[in-house]
Short mmCIF file of all heavy atoms in Angstrom, two decimals:
data_model
loop_
_atom_site.label_atom_id
_atom_site.label_comp_id
_atom_site.label_asym_id
_atom_site.label_seq_id
_atom_site.Cartn_x
_atom_site.Cartn_y
_atom_site.Cartn_z
N MET A 1221 -5.24 21.20 27.97
CA MET A 1221 -5.41 21.63 26.59
C MET A 1221 -4.16 21.32 25.77
O MET A 1221 -4.26 20.89 24.63
CB MET A 1221 -5.73 23.13 26.58
CG MET A 1221 -6.07 23.65 25.24
SD MET A 1221 -7.70 23.06 24.78
CE MET A 1221 -8.03 24.06 23.42
N LYS A 1222 -2.98 21.55 26.37
CA LYS A 1222 -1.73 21.30 25.65
C LYS A 1222 -1.59 19.82 25.32
O LYS A 1222 -1.13 19.46 24.24
CB LYS A 1222 -0.57 21.78 26.51
CG LYS A 1222 0.77 21.67 25.84
CD LYS A 1222 1.86 22.23 26.72
CE LYS A 1222 3.20 22.13 26.04
NZ LYS A 1222 4.27 22.63 26.88
N HIS A 1223 -2.00 18.96 26.25
CA HIS A 1223 -1.91 17.52 26.02
C HIS A 1223 -2.83 17.09 24.88
O HIS A 1223 -2.48 16.21 24.10
CB HIS A 1223 -2.26 16.73 27.29
CG HIS A 1223 -1.29 16.97 28.40
ND1 HIS A 1223 0.00 16.52 28.36
CD2 HIS A 1223 -1.42 17.64 29.58
CE1 HIS A 1223 0.62 16.88 29.47
NE2 HIS A 1223 -0.22 17.56 30.22
N ARG A 1224 -3.98 17.70 24.80
CA ARG A 1224 -4.93 17.36 23.73
C ARG A 1224 -4.34 17.71 22.36
O ARG A 1224 -4.48 16.96 21.40
CB ARG A 1224 -6.25 18.09 23.95
CG ARG A 1224 -7.27 17.75 22.89
CD ARG A 1224 -8.58 18.40 23.15
NE ARG A 1224 -9.28 17.59 24.15
CZ ARG A 1224 -10.38 17.95 24.77
NH1 ARG A 1224 -10.92 19.12 24.51
NH2 ARG A 1224 -10.95 17.18 25.64
N ALA A 1225 -3.65 18.84 22.27
CA ALA A 1225 -3.04 19.25 21.01
C ALA A 1225 -1.93 18.27 20.61
O ALA A 1225 -1.79 17.91 19.44
CB ALA A 1225 -2.49 20.66 21.12
N VAL A 1226 -1.14 17.84 21.59
CA VAL A 1226 -0.06 16.90 21.31
C VAL A 1226 -0.65 15.56 20.86
O VAL A 1226 -0.17 14.95 19.90
CB VAL A 1226 0.84 16.71 22.56
CG1 VAL A 1226 1.81 15.55 22.36
CG2 VAL A 1226 1.58 17.99 22.87
N LEU A 1227 -1.70 15.10 21.51
CA LEU A 1227 -2.35 13.85 21.11
C LEU A 1227 -2.96 13.96 19.72
O LEU A 1227 -2.88 13.02 18.93
CB LEU A 1227 -3.42 13.46 22.12
CG LEU A 1227 -2.91 12.95 23.47
CD1 LEU A 1227 -4.07 12.72 24.43
CD2 LEU A 1227 -2.10 11.68 23.30
N SER A 1228 -3.53 15.11 19.40
CA SER A 1228 -4.11 15.31 18.07
C SER A 1228 -3.02 15.26 17.00
O SER A 1228 -3.21 14.66 15.95
CB SER A 1228 -4.83 16.65 17.99
OG SER A 1228 -5.93 16.64 18.87
N LEU A 1229 -1.89 15.89 17.27
CA LEU A 1229 -0.79 15.87 16.31
C LEU A 1229 -0.24 14.45 16.15
O LEU A 1229 0.08 14.03 15.03
CB LEU A 1229 0.33 16.81 16.76
CG LEU A 1229 0.04 18.30 16.60
CD1 LEU A 1229 1.18 19.13 17.20
CD2 LEU A 1229 -0.14 18.65 15.14
N ALA A 1230 -0.16 13.70 17.22
CA ALA A 1230 0.32 12.32 17.15
C ALA A 1230 -0.64 11.47 16.33
O ALA A 1230 -0.23 10.65 15.51
CB ALA A 1230 0.50 11.74 18.55
N ALA A 1231 -1.94 11.66 16.53
CA ALA A 1231 -2.94 10.90 15.79
C ALA A 1231 -2.87 11.23 14.30
O ALA A 1231 -2.96 10.34 13.46
CB ALA A 1231 -4.34 11.17 16.33
N LEU A 1232 -2.69 12.49 13.97
CA LEU A 1232 -2.58 12.88 12.57
C LEU A 1232 -1.33 12.29 11.94
O LEU A 1232 -1.34 11.85 10.79
CB LEU A 1232 -2.54 14.41 12.44
CG LEU A 1232 -3.88 15.11 12.65
CD1 LEU A 1232 -3.68 16.63 12.62
CD2 LEU A 1232 -4.89 14.70 11.61
N GLY A 1233 -0.25 12.23 12.69
CA GLY A 1233 0.98 11.62 12.19
C GLY A 1233 0.79 10.14 11.91
O GLY A 1233 1.27 9.62 10.91
N LEU A 1234 0.07 9.45 12.78
CA LEU A 1234 -0.20 8.03 12.57
C LEU A 1234 -1.06 7.81 11.33
O LEU A 1234 -0.81 6.90 10.54
CB LEU A 1234 -0.88 7.42 13.80
CG LEU A 1234 0.01 7.23 15.02
CD1 LEU A 1234 -0.83 6.76 16.20
CD2 LEU A 1234 1.13 6.24 14.73
N LEU A 1235 -2.07 8.64 11.15
CA LEU A 1235 -2.93 8.51 9.98
C LEU A 1235 -2.17 8.80 8.70
O LEU A 1235 -2.36 8.12 7.69
CB LEU A 1235 -4.14 9.44 10.11
CG LEU A 1235 -5.17 9.04 11.15
CD1 LEU A 1235 -6.26 10.10 11.26
CD2 LEU A 1235 -5.78 7.69 10.83
N ALA A 1236 -1.31 9.77 8.74
CA ALA A 1236 -0.52 10.10 7.55
C ALA A 1236 0.43 8.95 7.22
O ALA A 1236 0.69 8.66 6.06
CB ALA A 1236 0.25 11.39 7.77
N GLY A 1237 0.95 8.29 8.25
CA GLY A 1237 1.84 7.16 8.02
C GLY A 1237 1.13 5.98 7.40
O GLY A 1237 1.74 5.16 6.73
N CYS A 1238 -0.17 5.86 7.61
CA CYS A 1238 -0.93 4.75 7.05
C CYS A 1238 -1.16 4.93 5.56
O CYS A 1238 -1.34 3.96 4.84
CB CYS A 1238 -2.27 4.63 7.76
SG CYS A 1238 -2.13 4.13 9.48
N ALA A 1239 -1.20 6.16 5.11
CA ALA A 1239 -1.45 6.41 3.69
C ALA A 1239 -0.18 6.11 2.91
O ALA A 1239 0.85 6.72 3.12
CB ALA A 1239 -1.87 7.86 3.49
N ASN A 1240 -0.26 5.16 2.02
CA ASN A 1240 0.89 4.77 1.23
C ASN A 1240 0.78 5.45 -0.14
O ASN A 1240 -0.15 5.19 -0.89
CB ASN A 1240 0.92 3.25 1.08
CG ASN A 1240 2.15 2.74 0.39
OD1 ASN A 1240 2.78 3.44 -0.38
ND2 ASN A 1240 2.49 1.51 0.69
N PRO A 1241 1.74 6.30 -0.48
CA PRO A 1241 1.67 6.99 -1.78
C PRO A 1241 1.73 6.02 -2.95
O PRO A 1241 1.22 6.30 -4.02
CB PRO A 1241 2.87 7.93 -1.77
CG PRO A 1241 3.76 7.44 -0.70
CD PRO A 1241 2.91 6.69 0.29
N ARG A 1242 2.32 4.85 -2.74
CA ARG A 1242 2.40 3.85 -3.80
C ARG A 1242 1.02 3.32 -4.14
O ARG A 1242 0.71 3.06 -5.30
CB ARG A 1242 3.32 2.72 -3.36
CG ARG A 1242 3.82 1.88 -4.46
CD ARG A 1242 4.77 2.70 -5.29
NE ARG A 1242 5.34 1.86 -6.32
CZ ARG A 1242 5.89 2.32 -7.40
NH1 ARG A 1242 5.98 3.60 -7.59
NH2 ARG A 1242 6.37 1.52 -8.29
N VAL A 1243 0.16 3.16 -3.12
CA VAL A 1243 -1.21 2.70 -3.35
C VAL A 1243 -1.94 3.71 -4.23
O VAL A 1243 -2.62 3.34 -5.18
CB VAL A 1243 -1.95 2.48 -2.02
CG1 VAL A 1243 -3.42 2.23 -2.25
CG2 VAL A 1243 -1.32 1.32 -1.25
N THR A 1244 -1.77 4.99 -3.93
CA THR A 1244 -2.41 6.04 -4.73
C THR A 1244 -1.88 6.01 -6.16
O THR A 1244 -2.66 6.13 -7.11
CB THR A 1244 -2.14 7.42 -4.11
OG1 THR A 1244 -2.60 7.40 -2.75
CG2 THR A 1244 -2.85 8.52 -4.86
N ALA A 1245 -0.58 5.81 -6.31
CA ALA A 1245 0.00 5.74 -7.66
C ALA A 1245 -0.56 4.56 -8.43
O ALA A 1245 -0.86 4.67 -9.62
CB ALA A 1245 1.52 5.65 -7.57
N TYR A 1246 -0.71 3.41 -7.78
CA TYR A 1246 -1.26 2.23 -8.45
C TYR A 1246 -2.70 2.45 -8.87
O TYR A 1246 -3.12 1.98 -9.91
CB TYR A 1246 -1.18 1.00 -7.54
CG TYR A 1246 0.20 0.45 -7.37
CD1 TYR A 1246 0.54 -0.19 -6.20
CD2 TYR A 1246 1.16 0.56 -8.36
CE1 TYR A 1246 1.81 -0.72 -6.03
CE2 TYR A 1246 2.42 0.04 -8.20
CZ TYR A 1246 2.74 -0.60 -7.02
OH TYR A 1246 3.98 -1.12 -6.86
N LYS A 1247 -3.46 3.17 -8.06
CA LYS A 1247 -4.85 3.43 -8.42
C LYS A 1247 -4.95 4.35 -9.63
O LYS A 1247 -5.90 4.27 -10.39
CB LYS A 1247 -5.60 4.03 -7.22
CG LYS A 1247 -5.86 3.02 -6.13
CD LYS A 1247 -6.61 3.62 -4.98
CE LYS A 1247 -6.89 2.59 -3.92
NZ LYS A 1247 -7.61 3.14 -2.78
N ASN A 1248 -3.95 5.20 -9.82
CA ASN A 1248 -3.96 6.13 -10.94
C ASN A 1248 -3.30 5.57 -12.20
O ASN A 1248 -3.61 6.02 -13.30
CB ASN A 1248 -3.27 7.44 -10.54
CG ASN A 1248 -4.05 8.18 -9.49
OD1 ASN A 1248 -5.27 8.10 -9.44
ND2 ASN A 1248 -3.35 8.89 -8.63
N ASP A 1249 -2.39 4.63 -12.05
CA ASP A 1249 -1.67 4.06 -13.19
C ASP A 1249 -1.89 2.55 -13.21
O ASP A 1249 -1.14 1.78 -12.63
CB ASP A 1249 -0.18 4.39 -13.09
CG ASP A 1249 0.60 3.96 -14.31
OD1 ASP A 1249 0.01 3.34 -15.23
OD2 ASP A 1249 1.82 4.24 -14.36
N HIS A 1250 -2.93 2.13 -13.89
CA HIS A 1250 -3.35 0.73 -13.87
C HIS A 1250 -2.32 -0.21 -14.46
O HIS A 1250 -2.13 -1.32 -13.97
CB HIS A 1250 -4.68 0.58 -14.60
CG HIS A 1250 -5.75 1.44 -14.01
ND1 HIS A 1250 -7.04 1.44 -14.44
CD2 HIS A 1250 -5.73 2.36 -13.02
CE1 HIS A 1250 -7.76 2.29 -13.75
NE2 HIS A 1250 -6.98 2.87 -12.89
N LYS A 1251 -1.63 0.22 -15.51
CA LYS A 1251 -0.63 -0.65 -16.13
C LYS A 1251 0.52 -0.91 -15.16
O LYS A 1251 0.98 -2.04 -15.02
CB LYS A 1251 -0.11 -0.04 -17.42
CG LYS A 1251 0.88 -0.97 -18.12
CD LYS A 1251 1.38 -0.40 -19.42
CE LYS A 1251 2.36 -1.26 -20.15
NZ LYS A 1251 3.19 -2.16 -19.43
N ALA A 1252 0.98 0.13 -14.48
CA ALA A 1252 2.06 -0.04 -13.50
C ALA A 1252 1.61 -0.96 -12.37
O ALA A 1252 2.38 -1.81 -11.90
CB ALA A 1252 2.49 1.31 -12.94
N PHE A 1253 0.36 -0.81 -11.96
CA PHE A 1253 -0.18 -1.69 -10.92
C PHE A 1253 -0.18 -3.14 -11.37
O PHE A 1253 0.29 -4.02 -10.65
CB PHE A 1253 -1.60 -1.25 -10.54
CG PHE A 1253 -2.38 -2.31 -9.81
CD1 PHE A 1253 -2.01 -2.71 -8.55
CD2 PHE A 1253 -3.46 -2.92 -10.42
CE1 PHE A 1253 -2.71 -3.70 -7.88
CE2 PHE A 1253 -4.17 -3.90 -9.76
CZ PHE A 1253 -3.80 -4.30 -8.49
N LEU A 1254 -0.68 -3.40 -12.57
CA LEU A 1254 -0.73 -4.78 -13.06
C LEU A 1254 0.67 -5.36 -13.25
O LEU A 1254 0.91 -6.53 -12.90
CB LEU A 1254 -1.52 -4.85 -14.36
CG LEU A 1254 -3.02 -4.62 -14.22
CD1 LEU A 1254 -3.68 -4.57 -15.58
CD2 LEU A 1254 -3.65 -5.69 -13.35
N ASP A 1255 1.59 -4.56 -13.77
CA ASP A 1255 2.97 -5.03 -13.93
C ASP A 1255 3.57 -5.41 -12.58
O ASP A 1255 4.20 -6.45 -12.43
CB ASP A 1255 3.83 -3.97 -14.60
CG ASP A 1255 3.51 -3.78 -16.07
OD1 ASP A 1255 2.85 -4.66 -16.66
OD2 ASP A 1255 3.90 -2.73 -16.62
N GLU A 1256 3.39 -4.54 -11.59
CA GLU A 1256 3.94 -4.79 -10.25
C GLU A 1256 3.27 -6.00 -9.62
O GLU A 1256 3.94 -6.84 -9.01
CB GLU A 1256 3.73 -3.56 -9.36
CG GLU A 1256 4.42 -3.65 -8.03
CD GLU A 1256 5.93 -3.44 -8.14
OE1 GLU A 1256 6.38 -2.77 -9.07
OE2 GLU A 1256 6.65 -3.98 -7.29
N LEU A 1257 1.97 -6.12 -9.76
CA LEU A 1257 1.25 -7.24 -9.16
C LEU A 1257 1.71 -8.57 -9.75
O LEU A 1257 1.98 -9.52 -9.00
CB LEU A 1257 -0.26 -7.06 -9.36
CG LEU A 1257 -1.15 -8.12 -8.71
CD1 LEU A 1257 -0.99 -8.10 -7.20
CD2 LEU A 1257 -2.60 -7.89 -9.10
N VAL A 1258 1.84 -8.65 -11.06
CA VAL A 1258 2.29 -9.89 -11.70
C VAL A 1258 3.71 -10.22 -11.27
O VAL A 1258 4.03 -11.36 -10.92
CB VAL A 1258 2.18 -9.78 -13.24
CG1 VAL A 1258 2.91 -10.92 -13.93
CG2 VAL A 1258 0.72 -9.73 -13.66
N TYR A 1259 4.58 -9.21 -11.24
CA TYR A 1259 5.95 -9.45 -10.81
C TYR A 1259 5.99 -9.96 -9.36
O TYR A 1259 6.71 -10.92 -9.06
CB TYR A 1259 6.77 -8.15 -10.93
CG TYR A 1259 8.19 -8.33 -10.48
CD1 TYR A 1259 9.14 -8.90 -11.32
CD2 TYR A 1259 8.59 -7.95 -9.20
CE1 TYR A 1259 10.45 -9.08 -10.90
CE2 TYR A 1259 9.89 -8.13 -8.78
CZ TYR A 1259 10.82 -8.70 -9.63
OH TYR A 1259 12.10 -8.88 -9.21
N CYS A 1260 5.23 -9.33 -8.50
CA CYS A 1260 5.21 -9.73 -7.08
C CYS A 1260 4.64 -11.13 -6.90
O CYS A 1260 5.14 -11.90 -6.07
CB CYS A 1260 4.41 -8.72 -6.26
SG CYS A 1260 5.20 -7.10 -6.15
N GLN A 1261 3.64 -11.46 -7.65
CA GLN A 1261 3.07 -12.80 -7.55
C GLN A 1261 4.04 -13.85 -8.08
O GLN A 1261 4.15 -14.93 -7.51
CB GLN A 1261 1.74 -12.88 -8.29
CG GLN A 1261 0.63 -12.15 -7.56
CD GLN A 1261 -0.68 -12.13 -8.32
OE1 GLN A 1261 -0.71 -12.29 -9.54
NE2 GLN A 1261 -1.77 -11.92 -7.61
N ASN A 1262 4.74 -13.54 -9.15
CA ASN A 1262 5.70 -14.48 -9.72
C ASN A 1262 6.94 -14.68 -8.84
O ASN A 1262 7.58 -15.72 -8.91
CB ASN A 1262 6.14 -14.05 -11.12
CG ASN A 1262 5.04 -14.24 -12.14
OD1 ASN A 1262 4.11 -15.01 -11.94
ND2 ASN A 1262 5.14 -13.52 -13.24
N HIS A 1263 7.26 -13.68 -8.04
CA HIS A 1263 8.44 -13.72 -7.18
C HIS A 1263 8.03 -13.57 -5.71
O HIS A 1263 8.73 -12.92 -4.93
CB HIS A 1263 9.42 -12.62 -7.57
CG HIS A 1263 9.88 -12.72 -8.98
ND1 HIS A 1263 9.26 -12.08 -10.02
CD2 HIS A 1263 10.89 -13.44 -9.54
CE1 HIS A 1263 9.88 -12.37 -11.14
NE2 HIS A 1263 10.87 -13.19 -10.89
N TYR A 1264 6.94 -14.18 -5.33
CA TYR A 1264 6.35 -13.96 -4.01
C TYR A 1264 7.31 -14.29 -2.87
O TYR A 1264 7.40 -13.54 -1.90
CB TYR A 1264 5.05 -14.76 -3.86
CG TYR A 1264 4.37 -14.49 -2.54
CD1 TYR A 1264 3.66 -13.31 -2.35
CD2 TYR A 1264 4.45 -15.39 -1.49
CE1 TYR A 1264 3.05 -13.03 -1.15
CE2 TYR A 1264 3.84 -15.12 -0.28
CZ TYR A 1264 3.13 -13.94 -0.12
OH TYR A 1264 2.54 -13.66 1.08
N ALA A 1265 8.03 -15.38 -2.96
CA ALA A 1265 8.92 -15.80 -1.87
C ALA A 1265 9.96 -14.72 -1.55
O ALA A 1265 10.25 -14.47 -0.38
CB ALA A 1265 9.60 -17.11 -2.21
N GLN A 1266 10.49 -14.08 -2.59
CA GLN A 1266 11.51 -13.05 -2.37
C GLN A 1266 10.91 -11.67 -2.11
O GLN A 1266 11.52 -10.84 -1.45
CB GLN A 1266 12.44 -12.93 -3.59
CG GLN A 1266 13.21 -14.16 -3.92
CD GLN A 1266 12.46 -15.08 -4.89
OE1 GLN A 1266 11.36 -14.76 -5.34
NE2 GLN A 1266 13.04 -16.22 -5.18
N MET A 1267 9.73 -11.40 -2.66
CA MET A 1267 9.20 -10.04 -2.67
C MET A 1267 8.04 -9.79 -1.70
O MET A 1267 7.53 -8.68 -1.65
CB MET A 1267 8.74 -9.68 -4.08
CG MET A 1267 9.82 -9.77 -5.14
SD MET A 1267 11.22 -8.69 -4.84
CE MET A 1267 10.48 -7.10 -5.09
N LYS A 1268 7.62 -10.78 -0.94
CA LYS A 1268 6.41 -10.63 -0.13
C LYS A 1268 6.51 -9.51 0.90
O LYS A 1268 5.51 -8.93 1.28
CB LYS A 1268 6.04 -11.94 0.54
CG LYS A 1268 7.04 -12.40 1.56
CD LYS A 1268 6.64 -13.71 2.15
CE LYS A 1268 7.71 -14.20 3.10
NZ LYS A 1268 7.44 -15.50 3.61
N ASP A 1269 7.72 -9.17 1.36
CA ASP A 1269 7.88 -8.13 2.37
C ASP A 1269 8.29 -6.78 1.78
O ASP A 1269 8.49 -5.82 2.51
CB ASP A 1269 8.92 -8.57 3.41
CG ASP A 1269 8.44 -9.76 4.22
OD1 ASP A 1269 7.23 -9.84 4.49
OD2 ASP A 1269 9.28 -10.61 4.57
N ASN A 1270 8.36 -6.71 0.46
CA ASN A 1270 8.71 -5.47 -0.23
C ASN A 1270 7.54 -4.49 -0.11
O ASN A 1270 6.39 -4.86 -0.35
CB ASN A 1270 9.00 -5.81 -1.70
CG ASN A 1270 9.35 -4.61 -2.51
OD1 ASN A 1270 8.60 -3.65 -2.59
ND2 ASN A 1270 10.50 -4.67 -3.16
N PRO A 1271 7.80 -3.24 0.27
CA PRO A 1271 6.70 -2.26 0.42
C PRO A 1271 5.88 -2.05 -0.86
O PRO A 1271 4.67 -1.86 -0.79
CB PRO A 1271 7.39 -0.97 0.83
CG PRO A 1271 8.78 -1.32 1.18
CD PRO A 1271 9.09 -2.67 0.61
N ASP A 1272 6.54 -2.08 -2.02
CA ASP A 1272 5.80 -1.91 -3.27
C ASP A 1272 4.87 -3.09 -3.51
O ASP A 1272 3.74 -2.92 -3.97
CB ASP A 1272 6.76 -1.75 -4.45
CG ASP A 1272 7.53 -0.44 -4.39
OD1 ASP A 1272 7.09 0.48 -3.67
OD2 ASP A 1272 8.57 -0.34 -5.05
N CYS A 1273 5.33 -4.29 -3.20
CA CYS A 1273 4.48 -5.47 -3.37
C CYS A 1273 3.33 -5.45 -2.37
O CYS A 1273 2.20 -5.80 -2.71
CB CYS A 1273 5.30 -6.75 -3.23
SG CYS A 1273 6.36 -7.06 -4.66
N LYS A 1274 3.62 -5.04 -1.16
CA LYS A 1274 2.54 -4.96 -0.16
C LYS A 1274 1.47 -3.98 -0.64
O LYS A 1274 0.28 -4.24 -0.48
CB LYS A 1274 3.10 -4.53 1.19
CG LYS A 1274 3.86 -5.61 1.90
CD LYS A 1274 4.31 -5.15 3.26
CE LYS A 1274 5.02 -6.26 4.00
NZ LYS A 1274 5.40 -5.85 5.36
N ALA A 1275 1.90 -2.86 -1.23
CA ALA A 1275 0.94 -1.89 -1.75
C ALA A 1275 0.14 -2.49 -2.90
O ALA A 1275 -1.08 -2.30 -2.97
CB ALA A 1275 1.66 -0.62 -2.21
N ALA A 1276 0.80 -3.22 -3.79
CA ALA A 1276 0.10 -3.84 -4.92
C ALA A 1276 -0.91 -4.87 -4.42
O ALA A 1276 -2.03 -4.94 -4.90
CB ALA A 1276 1.09 -4.48 -5.88
N PHE A 1277 -0.51 -5.68 -3.43
CA PHE A 1277 -1.43 -6.67 -2.88
C PHE A 1277 -2.61 -5.99 -2.16
O PHE A 1277 -3.74 -6.47 -2.22
CB PHE A 1277 -0.70 -7.60 -1.91
CG PHE A 1277 0.28 -8.53 -2.58
CD1 PHE A 1277 1.51 -8.79 -2.00
CD2 PHE A 1277 -0.01 -9.13 -3.80
CE1 PHE A 1277 2.41 -9.64 -2.60
CE2 PHE A 1277 0.89 -9.98 -4.41
CZ PHE A 1277 2.11 -10.24 -3.81
N ARG A 1278 -2.34 -4.85 -1.51
CA ARG A 1278 -3.41 -4.13 -0.82
C ARG A 1278 -4.44 -3.60 -1.82
O ARG A 1278 -5.65 -3.74 -1.62
CB ARG A 1278 -2.82 -2.98 -0.01
CG ARG A 1278 -3.85 -2.25 0.85
CD ARG A 1278 -3.22 -1.19 1.74
NE ARG A 1278 -2.18 -1.77 2.59
CZ ARG A 1278 -0.90 -1.39 2.58
NH1 ARG A 1278 -0.50 -0.42 1.79
NH2 ARG A 1278 -0.02 -1.96 3.36
N VAL A 1279 -3.96 -3.00 -2.91
CA VAL A 1279 -4.89 -2.50 -3.94
C VAL A 1279 -5.66 -3.66 -4.55
O VAL A 1279 -6.88 -3.58 -4.76
CB VAL A 1279 -4.13 -1.71 -5.02
CG1 VAL A 1279 -5.03 -1.38 -6.19
CG2 VAL A 1279 -3.53 -0.44 -4.43
N ASN A 1280 -4.98 -4.77 -4.80
CA ASN A 1280 -5.64 -5.94 -5.38
C ASN A 1280 -6.75 -6.45 -4.47
O ASN A 1280 -7.84 -6.79 -4.92
CB ASN A 1280 -4.62 -7.03 -5.68
CG ASN A 1280 -5.20 -8.15 -6.48
OD1 ASN A 1280 -5.80 -7.92 -7.53
ND2 ASN A 1280 -5.02 -9.38 -6.03
N SER A 1281 -6.47 -6.48 -3.17
CA SER A 1281 -7.51 -6.96 -2.24
C SER A 1281 -8.66 -5.98 -2.13
O SER A 1281 -9.79 -6.38 -1.85
CB SER A 1281 -6.90 -7.23 -0.86
OG SER A 1281 -6.48 -6.03 -0.25
N GLN A 1282 -8.41 -4.69 -2.36
CA GLN A 1282 -9.50 -3.71 -2.38
C GLN A 1282 -10.36 -3.86 -3.64
O GLN A 1282 -11.57 -3.70 -3.59
CB GLN A 1282 -8.96 -2.29 -2.28
CG GLN A 1282 -8.35 -1.97 -0.95
CD GLN A 1282 -7.67 -0.62 -0.94
OE1 GLN A 1282 -7.53 0.04 -1.97
NE2 GLN A 1282 -7.17 -0.22 0.22
N LEU A 1283 -9.70 -4.17 -4.74
CA LEU A 1283 -10.43 -4.34 -6.00
C LEU A 1283 -11.25 -5.64 -6.02
O LEU A 1283 -12.33 -5.69 -6.57
CB LEU A 1283 -9.47 -4.33 -7.18
CG LEU A 1283 -8.80 -3.00 -7.49
CD1 LEU A 1283 -7.72 -3.19 -8.56
CD2 LEU A 1283 -9.82 -1.99 -7.96
N PHE A 1284 -10.67 -6.69 -5.44
CA PHE A 1284 -11.30 -8.01 -5.47
C PHE A 1284 -11.36 -8.59 -4.06
O PHE A 1284 -10.62 -9.53 -3.73
CB PHE A 1284 -10.51 -8.94 -6.40
CG PHE A 1284 -10.35 -8.41 -7.79
CD1 PHE A 1284 -9.18 -7.82 -8.20
CD2 PHE A 1284 -11.41 -8.46 -8.68
CE1 PHE A 1284 -9.03 -7.32 -9.47
CE2 PHE A 1284 -11.29 -7.97 -9.95
CZ PHE A 1284 -10.10 -7.39 -10.36
N PRO A 1285 -12.23 -8.05 -3.21
CA PRO A 1285 -12.33 -8.57 -1.84
C PRO A 1285 -12.88 -9.99 -1.85
O PRO A 1285 -13.66 -10.38 -2.73
CB PRO A 1285 -13.28 -7.60 -1.15
CG PRO A 1285 -14.05 -6.96 -2.25
CD PRO A 1285 -13.18 -6.99 -3.47
N GLU A 1286 -12.47 -10.75 -0.86
CA GLU A 1286 -12.94 -12.14 -0.75
C GLU A 1286 -14.24 -12.22 -0.02
O GLU A 1286 -14.66 -11.47 0.71
CB GLU A 1286 -11.91 -12.99 -0.04
CG GLU A 1286 -10.66 -13.13 -0.90
CD GLU A 1286 -9.65 -14.04 -0.24
OE1 GLU A 1286 -10.05 -14.97 0.48
OE2 GLU A 1286 -8.48 -13.82 -0.46
#
């Protein structure tokens, strides 16, 4: 039983780590999202690994799936 509780807490921690607060902010503030997306696309070589750009690209792919 104790092991199950530890595994449950670990799983919840992993799920919480997946949620990016920046993605939520972009969904609520469209202008900030568009500004960040354009900036990241214009400076992709330097910014592709930036967490904010990754969040902007993630929201963009959710809005416009291929």
Side-chain angles (χ1 to χ4, degrees):
M1221 186 72 167
K1222 184 177 180 181
H1223 296 291
R1224 181 177 279 170
V1226 170
L1227 288 175
S1228 296
L1229 287 175
L1232 286 175
L1234 287 174
L1235 289 175
C1238 293
N1240 186 335
R1242 198 69 176 160
V1243 170
T1244 304
Y1246 287 150
K1247 288 181 179 179
N1248 293 330
D1249 186 356
H1250 303 183
K1251 183 179 179 332
F1253 162 67
L1254 290 174
D1255 289 343
E1256 188 75 27
L1257 184 63
V1258 168
Y1259 179 81
C1260 293
Q1261 287 176 337
N1262 288 340
H1263 301 92
Y1264 184 76
Q1266 299 90 2
M1267 301 300 292
K1268 66 181 176 185
D1269 294 325
N1270 179 304
D1272 292 341
C1273 286
K1274 286 183 177 183
F1277 291 139
R1278 185 175 304 120
V1279 171
N1280 190 52
S1281 68
Q1282 291 173 354
L1283 291 172
F1284 304 101
E1286 292 183 31

